[in-house]
Amino acid sequence: MKRGARTSIGDRIGVGLVLALGVLGLAVLVVPSLIVLAVSFDTRAFVSFPPQGFTLRWYAALADNAQLVRAIVNSLWSGLVVMVLCILLGVPAALASGRGRFRWRGAVPVIVLLPHAVPGVVLGVAVLFAGSAVGLRPSLALQSFAVTAFILAVLVRTVLARLERLDPALEEAAANLGAGRARAFRDITLPLLLPAILAGAAFTFIEGFDNISIAIFTHGMRNPPLPVELLGIVQTETTPLVAAISGVQILLSTLLVAIVAATIGLRHVSD
Amino acid sequence: MSGQGVAAFLDVAGVSKAFGAHAALDDCTLAVRQGEIVTLLGASGCGKTTLLRIIAGFVAPDSGTVRLGGQDALAMPVNRRPIGVVFQSYALFPHMTVARNVGYGLRVRGVPREEQRRRLAEALELVSLTAFADRYPAQLSGGQQQRVALARALVLAPQLLLLDEPFSALDAKLRAAMQSEVRRLIKSVGITAVFVTHDQDEAMGISDAIAVMRGGRIEQAGPPAEVYDRPASAFVADFVGAANHWPDEARGGRVTLPAGLSVPSRVIGRVSVMVRPHNLEPCPVGAEGAAWRGRVAFVRPSGPFLEIEVLVEGAPLPFRVTVPRAGAVPAPGEAVALRVRDLSACFVFPRLDQAAA
């Protein structure tokens, strides 16, 4: 619709509604993070909004708290392991499902969703019991494996969705021009799947970092991840320290998304 | 198509392929001479694309042979066949520039750098896309994308070029322009080419020979004029150009049309006499030698011609008549008679249900 063009009242109301819903949606998504950020700079020693003054003391307190820093490092490790495992397992699974010739290839995206069929807490307890049955004690490794099983579906489905929209003729064209299967995958399929792999990987990293329902049962006793540590803190601590921790996490997430956006944005990918 | 004594360059013999219970190709045989442009023409599902994909190596046939320049093509892996393909979707690599798309085959085959540069420049020149070398496919028009696809295939100097519905993604006006452009290009390179299309006008316009396919077989193959003027079956007559159907009975090797006109027939019993629209001529009711009577349903200008639809008494479907746009134009509702211009250009086929459809 061109600016200045005649519009009916109905159109205007429609556009207004869409705009209002958009603003509302954005607000729901962004405002809580902004409030938390604002509170994290509050000079007062309790959580209140609107904040007063500006200080970095809660961030300093966080840096001084060895237990919390360790928890953040644990969570970073968990995020990294979950992400790498999801890429290593999920990309081949998506390729098998999308390009394979076997009979049950359509079952792959359903099978990876199965862990989502049970509540996360139940899954956590189940992994705890199953792990101890085979001699796996709660640990950062067990926690990472369990979260991987849970979140693998996101990567598989993201990559598969992209794969299904890729013209199969692209790979045939590469073969026709002389490329073997490996070469065609490297030159054509992989670069075109990369945005989906990166987007999926970002999600799995965040889940590995932030998951609590599974992690609370499966983490190593001396290696609690950040969400588990935080749960303990918010029960006793009322200072903006918790907000500062959230501030760090918001910063990390934003950074991650920015990296993905920049990487994808630099590619001339047409759909 | 291969004439007597001329060895076929592309020789497809007895090729069959089934997908599950569906026979896509049924003992299909095709011969193409060197330098010839042949079009596989047929409705969707007739097997034409499967045949193209078997020749290219994307699909393996269940039985039969494909020989190219005397060599067994089926023995060559898909990425070693000297065959270029222009895909229906063009299948340009979206993350590569025009130059990298066209140069991809040269890089994969390890052609020396200097030669790569030279051949790439030649190929871009050939399709007049030198100025667009650094564009991405998404930044090109449909016609330009098609030329990139063509250059990408031709830069490797294949022995055979396969084109799968290459014009279907273009709008009508551009399609006509690209058809003659592509034909000129292919002829200038001198490469043997096989097109696949469902569009009979396209097949007529671009090919040295047409192979009309139905049900996984080639129903008739030959030069466009021959297929049009001497169709081997009611299906071909119907598929290649328009045809009017007159149901009748053949006795003693002849069909006797109204007004005592007689057409020779190789079959007896229930037949369909088929007459091309341009082989009919409207004339006043009661005129001598007029085989049919009817009423004009509507009149439609079509370029330099008029297309007249006549509801003929006794015919299951209206007749289409094409006349030059000169002289008296019959008006809708008017009673007319129809005369056959050339009785020898009428075809008689056994009557099939689908022949009347």
Side-chain angles (χ1 to χ4, degrees):
Chain A
M1 194 186 310
K2 270 185 195 153
R3 201 172 281 268
R6 251 179 229 223
T7 53
S8 71
I9 291 175
D11 276 350
R12 280 166 196 241
I13 292 175
V15 169
L17 263 177
V18 169
L19 268 178
L21 279 174
V23 170
L24 187 70
L26 202 62
V28 167
L29 291 171
V30 173
V31 168
S33 298
L34 291 180
I35 289 178
V36 167
L37 268 181
V39 168
S40 73
F41 300 113
D42 199 335
T43 49
R44 297 170 298 175
F46 53 90
V47 172
S48 176
F49 191 84
Q52 284 173 9
F54 178 87
T55 179
L56 290 176
R57 66 183 268 214
W58 306 114
Y59 287 90
L62 167 59
D64 281 344
N65 188 328
Q67 205 181 333
L68 269 177
V69 171
R70 174 125 191 231
I72 290 176
V73 172
N74 285 339
S75 275
L76 283 174
W77 270 114
S78 166
L80 194 69
V81 171
V82 168
M83 181 181 79
V84 170
L85 284 177
C86 279
I87 292 174
L88 292 180
L89 295 170
V91 174
L95 286 169
S97 180
R99 289 286 189 266
R101 297 256 164 85
F102 57 98
R103 190 169 175 174
W104 294 99
R105 65 198 190 93
V108 173
V110 180
I111 290 171
V112 293
L113 264 186
L114 284 180
H116 287 258
V118 288
V121 171
V122 175
L123 191 65
V125 175
V127 170
L128 181 63
F129 286 147
S132 67
V134 295
L136 281 175
R137 300 169 60 79
S139 64
L140 193 56
L142 184 67
Q143 174 202 330
S144 303
F145 295 155
V147 175
T148 299
F150 177 69
I151 202 64
L152 184 62
V154 169
L155 193 124
V156 170
R157 291 190 150 242
T158 312
V159 175
L160 192 58
R162 175 82 182 127
L163 192 63
E164 277 166 354
R165 280 167 60 217
L166 274 193
D167 184 359
L170 289 172
E171 286 154 40
E172 289 174 354
N176 178 252
L177 294 168
R181 289 177 73 107
R183 180 85 196 246
F185 179 74
R186 199 187 77 200
D187 290 347
I188 310 301
T189 316
L190 188 60
L192 294 175
L193 288 184
L194 201 57
I197 296 173
L198 286 176
F203 275 112
T204 58
F205 178 86
I206 289 171
E207 185 67 26
F209 186 92
D210 198 40
N211 178 282
I212 181 154
S213 57
I214 297 169
I216 201 164
F217 296 104
T218 52
H219 70 83
M221 281 310 138
R222 277 165 302 171
N223 281 318
L226 183 61
V228 173
E229 195 68 36
L230 265 179
L231 190 64
I233 291 174
V234 290
Q235 284 165 4
T236 56
E237 179 85 41
T238 54
T239 66
L241 176 66
V242 180
I245 299 167
S246 308
V248 169
Q249 192 168 335
I250 290 169
L251 185 75
L252 282 174
S253 305
T254 311
L255 209 65
L256 195 64
V257 172
I259 290 172
V260 171
T263 327
I264 298 171
L266 288 177
R267 291 176 177 278
H268 293 261
V269 180
S270 80
D271 286 323
Chain B
M1 303 290 143
S2 178
Q4 282 85 1
V6 184
F9 182 64
L10 171 67
D11 191 1
V12 176
V15 166
S16 297
K17 175 74 189 179
F19 294 107
H22 170 69
L25 286 176
D26 178 19
D27 192 22
C28 189
T29 293
L30 172 76
V32 181
R33 280 196 302 247
Q34 191 151 19
E36 198 174 32
I37 299 180
V38 172
T39 295
L40 306 176
L41 175 65
S44 66
C46 73
K48 57 192 194 298
T49 295
T50 302
L51 180 55
L52 194 86
R53 293 172 60 77
I54 285 173
I55 298 170
F58 303 138
V59 175
D62 297 334
S63 60
T65 59
V66 177
R67 300 184 73 80
L68 182 66
Q71 296 201 302
D72 180 8
L74 296 180
M76 307 175 200
V78 58
N79 60 334
R80 293 275 175 272
R81 291 194 191 182
I83 295 174
V85 178
V86 173
F87 292 85
Q88 183 170 15
S89 62
Y90 309 142
L92 300 180
F93 307 133
H95 58 307
M96 293 186 191
T97 60
V98 168
R100 291 191 64 77
N101 262 285
V102 176
Y104 184 73
L106 298 172
R107 292 200 299 282
V108 168
R109 280 158 205 245
V111 171
R113 280 285 168 89
E114 202 46 48
E115 191 186 335
Q116 272 189 38
R117 246 196 298 278
R118 183 178 55 75
R119 287 170 68 176
L120 173 62
E122 281 173 11
L124 291 177
E125 182 73 27
L126 181 73
V127 295
S128 319
L129 280 175
T130 308
F132 296 86
D134 295 325
R135 297 267 190 102
Y136 285 87
Q139 299 169 301
L140 300 178
S141 71
Q144 289 166 338
Q145 290 183 15
Q146 189 189 51
R147 272 143 60 197
V148 176
L150 206 54
R152 187 176 68 176
L154 290 176
V155 74
L156 297 173
Q159 295 177 27
L160 176 69
L161 186 64
L162 305 177
L163 303 98
D164 185 9
E165 304 260 7
F167 306 105
S168 61
L170 304 176
D171 58 66
K173 202 169 176 189
L174 186 58
R175 195 178 305 164
M178 286 307 290
Q179 281 167 12
S180 52
E181 160 96 9
V182 167
R183 179 176 161 92
R184 188 188 57 73
L185 255 169
I186 290 175
K187 284 298 176 189
S188 77
V189 177
I191 189 171
T192 311
V194 177
F195 278 78
V196 156
T197 185
H198 63 273
D199 180 336
Q200 51 116 350
D201 287 331
E202 184 177 315
M204 287 283 172
I206 209 163
S207 335
D208 300 320
I210 293 177
V212 181
M213 291 187 71
R214 178 165 73 142
R217 284 167 167 273
I218 288 171
E219 187 118 341
Q220 184 179 6
E226 184 185 304
V227 173
Y228 184 82
D229 292 334
R230 290 198 292 281
S233 67
F235 175 81
V236 172
D238 236 5
F239 201 83
V240 179
N244 300 303
H245 305 263
W246 175 253
D248 214 323
E249 301 278 330
R251 290 189 196 85
R254 305 205 74 79
V255 185
T256 306
L257 298 177
L261 301 170
S262 170
V263 182
S265 171
R266 282 170 299 170
V267 290
I268 53 164
R270 289 156 57 81
V271 293
S272 182
V273 180
M274 302 179 74
V275 192
R276 295 284 188 208
H278 62 81
N279 196 21
L280 285 171
E281 181 181 27
C283 53
V285 178
E288 203 182 325
W292 297 289
R293 283 196 317 185
R295 224 162 255 290
V296 175
F298 68 84
V299 181
R300 168 176 58 204
S302 166
F305 299 98
L306 279 181
E307 257 182 41
I308 306 168
E309 210 170 278
V310 180
L311 300 165
V312 170
E313 291 168 18
L317 290 170
F319 275 26
R320 279 168 69 182
V321 183
T322 311
V323 295
R325 260 172 117 168
V329 176
E334 201 178 302
V336 289
L338 294 175
R339 184 156 52 199
V340 180
R341 291 174 194 267
D342 180 1
L343 272 179
S344 70
C346 296
F347 331 118
V348 182
F349 298 112
R351 210 184 310 165
L352 305 169
D353 285 337
Q354 68 232 71

